[in-house]
Amino acid sequence: MGFQRALPFGKKLKFSRVQLILADSLTIFWGDWLDLRVRIPQIASSGLISPLIYIIAFGLGLGTSIRPGSVISSDYNSYLEFILPGMIALSSMTISFAGTTFSICGDRLFSKSFEELLLVPINPLSLHLGKMSAGIVRGLLTSGSVIILALLFTQNLGFLNPLFLLILVLNCAVFAGLGVITGLTVKSLESVGLYNNFVIIPMSFLGATFFDPATLPVGLKFLVYLLPLTYASTGLRAAVYAPLSDFPWYSVPILFAIAAALSVWGAYKFSNQQD
């Protein structure tokens, strides 16, 4: 009898803990949002330059010599159409990672206000999710600018469909989560440059943004599919141009699993962080 009374209470307690983690995450996010909201134009445009250069150089320049049916599938009318989803994935990756990393580094290494955050009686997972959520918003603001460009170039409303937006949010979550961990790990801004040079820049070119990974040899294909950006690029591209039956559904659980694993790692880093 006592066990039957304790069972629903245990369920309620567990549910309340989840609610508490989410509420605390929103609190941490709100602190970052107060800073983000006054810089929305700056954030939205900060990651637009590189994709715009790639679009002009590759899509409108070199891409005019690439014919559908040769290097890319005949499902696309031009190489520009092919790379636009990749540019959105690229911009969301870059800003989600860099914005989150530099935000945490600034608090840790310069303003020295990060210690106050660590003293707050909040679950470490809430700290990670709150910071990651701010990174997701940064990525969405920037990639939203590239989406507007894509709509102007293609007039294809597939860039606004829910499946496309789901993959985009998951991609932002992955790299914002990686940015949180990097921000907690590095000892100087120079170290951030190393992560950018050895992780982000190679992934920018190898993450299926400029090519179809299906055309690669088996060895290179294996390497490319180890990168989370590959699943984002192929998923975004399929969400816009491919029928629903051809969508790579495995991209969703893979990106979600990577974001979840990074959240566990980030919570562990927060719980053991000493600044």
Side-chain angles (χ1 to χ4, degrees):
M1 190 73 173
F3 174 77
Q4 291 178 344
R5 287 196 299 269
L7 185 60
F9 176 76
K11 290 182 178 179
K12 182 178 180 181
L13 181 63
K14 183 177 180 181
F15 181 69
S16 298
R17 185 176 182 182
V18 172
Q19 282 186 315
L20 182 61
I21 290 175
L22 294 178
D24 289 342
S25 300
L26 289 175
T27 301
I28 299 299
F29 165 75
W30 187 254
D32 281 10
W33 170 248
L34 293 177
D35 175 58
L36 291 174
R37 66 180 183 178
V38 299
R39 298 187 295 112
I40 288 179
Q42 176 185 344
I43 295 171
S45 60
S46 60
L48 185 60
I49 302 302
S50 292
L52 186 58
I53 292 174
Y54 290 138
I55 289 171
I56 295 174
F58 291 98
L60 300 177
L62 179 64
T64 56
S65 62
I66 298 177
R67 296 287 179 263
S70 55
V71 179
I72 60 174
S73 170
S74 57
D75 296 335
Y76 308 97
N77 294 321
S78 66
Y79 185 63
L80 175 62
E81 281 192 358
F82 178 83
I83 67 170
L84 280 173
M87 293 302 97
I88 294 170
L90 175 62
S91 64
S92 63
M93 172 190 73
T94 304
I95 298 303
S96 294
F97 174 81
T100 305
T101 301
F102 282 110
S103 173
I104 294 177
C105 283
D107 292 342
R108 285 183 58 228
L109 304 177
F110 293 99
S111 68
K112 301 296 183 180
S113 61
F114 196 74
E115 295 178 357
E116 300 175 4
L117 183 65
L118 296 178
L119 294 175
V120 175
I122 288 180
N123 190 298
L125 181 58
S126 297
L127 294 173
H128 176 87
L129 293 178
K131 291 294 184 180
M132 185 182 74
S133 298
I136 292 174
V137 171
R138 289 187 183 94
L140 292 177
L141 287 172
T142 302
S143 56
S145 302
V146 186
I147 289 175
I148 292 174
L149 285 179
L151 291 172
L152 293 175
F153 278 117
T154 66
Q155 287 82 49
N156 189 332
L157 295 181
F159 287 96
L160 300 177
N161 77 60
L163 195 54
F164 183 93
L165 298 178
L166 172 62
I167 295 291
L168 181 58
V169 169
L170 288 174
N171 188 54
C172 291
V174 167
F175 289 101
L178 184 61
V180 172
I181 294 169
T182 303
L184 294 174
T185 303
V186 297
K187 303 301 182 182
S188 65
L189 289 181
E190 289 79 6
S191 301
V192 178
L194 291 177
Y195 279 90
N196 190 66
N197 290 335
F198 287 97
V199 178
I200 299 302
I201 291 179
M203 200 178 306
S204 300
F205 291 93
L206 298 177
T209 50
F210 297 100
F211 58 87
D212 185 354
T215 62
L216 296 176
V218 175
L220 286 177
K221 187 184 297 185
F222 175 78
L223 174 64
V224 166
Y225 274 102
L226 289 177
L227 307 176
L229 186 64
T230 299
Y231 299 97
S233 298
T234 55
L236 292 176
R237 194 170 290 128
V240 177
Y241 300 113
L244 198 59
S245 57
D246 294 338
F247 182 80
W249 292 101
Y250 56 81
S251 299
V252 176
I254 288 176
L255 290 173
F256 181 83
I258 295 173
L262 290 173
S263 296
V264 174
W265 187 7
Y268 173 79
K269 292 286 291 183
F270 267 111
S271 65
N272 293 275
Q273 188 72 20
Q274 294 181 353
D275 281 316

